[in-house]
Amino acid sequence: MRKRREIEVAGERIPRLDDIATLLYLATETGDWPAKPINYIRGDIPWLQDGAVITLRNLNPRGEMGATYTVQVLATQIEIHLLPGKWGQVLRKVLLERVYPDEEIAQMWEEGK
């Protein structure tokens, strides 16, 4: 069993950041939430709000390593999971949609002709 990392604040033991996460979801073709996230970040990213545009870089050596994707935040959901005792978990779920740069749009347009 994994030992739980804690810090002491005002005489109380508090779990460390393992209880905060941001989950990234890539929207389905209909713009809905998929069943599973594409990534799980151990920490809260509060500036990921609706309309924000960010770049994702693929660092998976078994995938398209080094590829970058521009995405826009479509929606965010905050879930608080209550655990036995005083503490819980905070999950920020972020729904993303790929944004294509002008060059890629032009290329897709040409390929579609």
Side-chain angles (χ1 to χ4, degrees):
M1 187 171 142
R2 192 179 93 172
K3 184 176 178 181
R4 191 172 179 96
R5 297 178 302 157
E6 299 177 334
I7 58 173
E8 189 169 326
V9 176
E12 293 194 58
R13 307 289 296 169
I14 300 173
R16 293 183 75 181
L17 290 181
D18 292 346
D19 295 323
I20 300 171
T22 300
L23 286 77
L24 303 178
Y25 293 82
L26 194 57
T28 64
E29 289 183 10
T30 59
D32 295 321
W33 291 83
K36 295 182 179 181
I38 60 168
N39 205 286
Y40 178 93
I41 299 169
R42 294 176 59 182
D44 186 24
I45 306 177
W47 50 264
L48 276 180
Q49 298 294 323
D50 296 3
V53 176
I54 61 170
T55 300
L56 301 176
R57 180 177 304 276
N58 187 344
L59 297 179
N60 183 350
R62 288 180 269 168
E64 298 175 347
M65 188 167 182
T68 59
Y69 307 96
T70 302
V71 294
Q72 183 171 14
V73 177
L74 295 180
T76 57
Q77 293 179 353
I78 306 296
E79 283 187 13
I80 298 177
H81 296 189
L82 303 176
L83 302 172
K86 297 180 184 180
W87 314 113
Q89 294 177 322
V90 177
L91 298 179
R92 178 181 304 272
K93 295 181 174 185
V94 181
L95 183 63
L96 304 170
E97 178 180 53
R98 182 135 185 228
V99 176
Y100 294 94
D102 292 340
E103 310 84 58
E104 286 187 46
I105 293 173
Q107 182 180 359
M108 288 188 293
W109 178 263
E110 289 298 319
E111 290 172 0
K113 286 186 173 181

